[in-house]
Amino acid sequence: MSSPTPIRITGVTTLVVNAEMRNWIFVKVQTDQDGLYGWGEASLNWKTRAVAATVEDLEPLLIGKDPRDIEQIVRILNKHSYYKLGIIGATAISGIEHALWDIFGKSVGLPVWRLLGGQTRNEVRVYTHLGLGDMRSVYETFDEGALRDKALAVVEKGYDALKVVFIPYSHYSVDIPSRRHVGRLMKVLREAVGESVDIMVDFHGRPATVAGALQYIEELAPYSPMFCEEPVQPGDTQALRMVTERANCPIASGERLVGYKEFEPLFEQKALHIIQPDLNHTGGILEGKKIAAAAEQAMMGVAPHNPNGPIAGAAALHYDISIPNFVIQEEMSGAVPWYDDVVSTPMRRVGSAWQIPHAPGLGVEINEAEAAKHPFKPEVMHTLSAVLGDGTIVDW
């Protein structure tokens, strides 16, 4: 399908699919070549309408451009918007950028990972969450018995790594019962899954102090977590470095950072061990490649964040194949019963690893008629539960 003549973008649209606990925002970039279009994803929890409107606002900057000029187009979207776009704008650009890569791959008959520099591994290790896509299980499992049962269900599906979110809502001090409860939960989890399964603990930035984060880590470390994620709020590089220097286990962070510039201080100060860019939010695959290259020089691994939808997963798969310092990939395939009715993806899991795809582009196709059966709905506002007993609002 390769063409010596320019390809021109003729339109950009969004398709919102409500996946029960969150909305997927699919982005379709159309061209003047018959049958040549690309799919991307720009999902952002609780910001669906804002992101979709931003894509619409950006569309005029794309019309008439050759979709294969990805670096130039992303530069236009960032610079010609004038005001800094923030997470909403960066997410919109990420979805558009994914679709451009899809078009590029299709236009030359190659999978995107080939265009990113080729293959650096034979498979992509993945992990999932409690509940296998049920977000209530992810964020609301604080009972020891339920934790054990849900973890074993994940292992029974063939995964050898899983993530949990059971750090209590915290503030400037951590009480002894809360710390001990975290220790008991981790002990139950490790005894249930054994030492051959990796466990990641997501703090969600809940502790408001370095000391509080370290007190929880002290409870977790004896049970060898693969990493503790986002132990403090993003943006305070010095606090993160202090945790990393004192923690007796690997520390990871980065999902809420936008673009290379926000990651750069972490590399300069060697503020963590594992970086977690989200290709759905940080500006796209090209920006993710720049982040991974800098992380490698800073002796950091890359474990991309992705609790999003199927196209975001496909973009992550191609990215992971192409970067040498990849560690493990978060994934949410099969998050709803009708997943395979709406989308065909290149992700094929054997055990706890995705296999290498060979279809052109991202290898994704959307059944738009089936997708239309699941229109936008307001998402569950988990954040409303982040309130202490005295009414103090804390980080979710």
Side-chain angles (χ1 to χ4, degrees):
M1 203 169 179
S2 180
S3 171
T5 59
I7 301 169
R8 300 300 179 191
I9 295 172
T10 59
V12 184
T13 56
T14 57
L15 174 62
V16 175
V17 178
N18 179 258
E20 297 180 7
M21 298 299 290
R22 67 176 64 219
N23 290 300
W24 297 332
I25 308 172
F26 297 152
V27 179
K28 187 176 186 179
V29 175
Q30 297 164 314
T31 76
D32 60 358
Q33 306 291 311
D34 287 343
L36 182 59
Y37 54 84
W39 284 106
E41 182 173 335
S43 303
L44 181 63
N45 41 305
W46 309 308
K47 304 293 187 294
T48 300
R49 288 165 289 197
V51 172
T54 302
V55 172
E56 185 177 356
D57 287 341
L58 293 172
E59 182 187 26
L61 298 174
L62 293 157
I63 301 301
K65 301 294 189 296
D66 190 318
R68 298 166 296 183
D69 294 331
I70 299 172
E71 184 86 59
Q72 181 77 337
I73 289 174
V74 170
R75 189 173 175 84
I76 289 169
L77 294 176
N78 277 291
K79 291 191 173 294
H80 287 185
S81 296
Y82 184 60
Y83 290 102
K84 298 297 182 184
L85 295 174
I87 189 64
I88 292 172
T91 300
I93 289 173
S94 298
I96 292 168
E97 195 249 24
H98 295 166
L100 300 182
W101 281 110
D102 193 28
I103 291 170
F104 189 7
K106 290 173 179 175
S107 74
V108 294
L110 293 172
V112 166
W113 58 262
R114 280 285 181 206
L115 308 178
L116 296 174
Q119 182 175 336
T120 66
R121 60 190 31 80
N122 297 323
E123 61 182 14
V124 172
R125 191 184 183 203
V126 298
Y127 71 89
T128 193
H129 301 259
L130 299 184
L132 299 162
D134 172 20
M135 302 306 290
R136 287 193 174 90
S137 294
V138 175
Y139 297 113
E140 299 172 18
T141 302
F142 293 92
D143 174 77
E144 294 175 27
L147 180 70
R148 180 190 301 107
D149 293 344
K150 290 174 182 178
L152 290 174
V154 170
V155 175
E156 287 169 6
K157 289 286 186 179
Y159 292 94
D160 64 9
L162 57 89
K163 183 189 285 183
V164 292
V165 187
F166 55 45
I167 300 300
Y169 296 123
S170 304
H171 204 31
Y172 288 89
S173 63
V174 176
D175 60 79
I176 294 173
S178 294
R179 290 162 52 190
R180 298 292 183 254
H181 185 55
V182 165
R184 287 194 300 273
L185 289 172
M186 189 63 173
K187 182 175 186 290
V188 165
L189 191 56
R190 177 56 73 201
E191 290 176 348
V193 302
E195 294 190 352
S196 61
V197 174
D198 278 316
I199 300 168
M200 290 142 279
V201 182
D202 189 349
F203 280 49
H204 252 224
R206 289 174 180 172
T209 64
V210 169
L214 290 170
Q215 285 176 311
Y216 285 128
I217 290 170
E218 185 179 4
E219 296 287 342
L220 298 167
Y223 304 101
S224 302
M226 185 177 185
F227 56 73
C228 288
E229 176 178 330
E230 213 171 45
V232 292
Q233 281 289 307
D236 190 336
T237 302
Q238 289 185 342
L240 185 58
R241 179 178 53 79
M242 290 171 67
V243 172
T244 299
E245 288 175 346
R246 293 162 173 78
N248 194 25
C249 67
I251 301 298
S253 191
E255 69 182 70
R256 289 191 259 181
L257 302 183
V258 175
Y260 177 84
K261 285 187 177 181
E262 292 193 3
F263 282 88
E264 191 171 34
L266 302 180
F267 304 139
E268 291 175 348
Q269 296 195 37
K270 296 191 182 297
L272 41 68
H273 304 105
I274 295 174
I275 206 81
Q276 296 179 290
D278 189 317
L279 304 178
N280 214 51
H281 305 316
T282 201
I285 297 173
L286 265 182
E287 197 73 5
K289 288 281 285 187
K290 296 171 186 176
I291 291 164
E296 185 180 15
Q297 295 304 308
M299 299 179 66
M300 296 178 189
V302 181
H305 178 261
N306 178 43
N308 305 305
I311 305 179
L317 168 61
H318 288 269
Y319 171 76
D320 298 340
I321 293 168
S322 75
I323 60 170
N325 51 334
F326 168 79
V327 176
I328 195 167
Q329 175 65 56
E330 181 176 19
E331 71 108 23
M332 298 282 281
S333 60
V336 286
W338 39 264
Y339 189 98
D340 294 328
D341 298 331
V342 167
V343 60
S344 173
T345 71
M347 290 87 82
R348 299 291 176 266
R349 182 171 60 88
V350 176
S352 201
W354 284 340
Q355 304 306 293
I356 307 298
H358 296 283
L362 292 178
V364 172
E365 195 51 71
I366 305 297
N367 185 324
E368 296 186 54
E370 286 294 321
K373 296 177 181 178
H374 307 279
F376 167 83
K377 293 180 183 178
E379 294 161 305
V380 176
M381 295 294 290
H382 294 284
T383 52
L384 296 177
S385 62
V387 183
L388 300 184
D390 65 357
T392 300
I393 305 298
V394 293
D395 290 303
W396 174 59

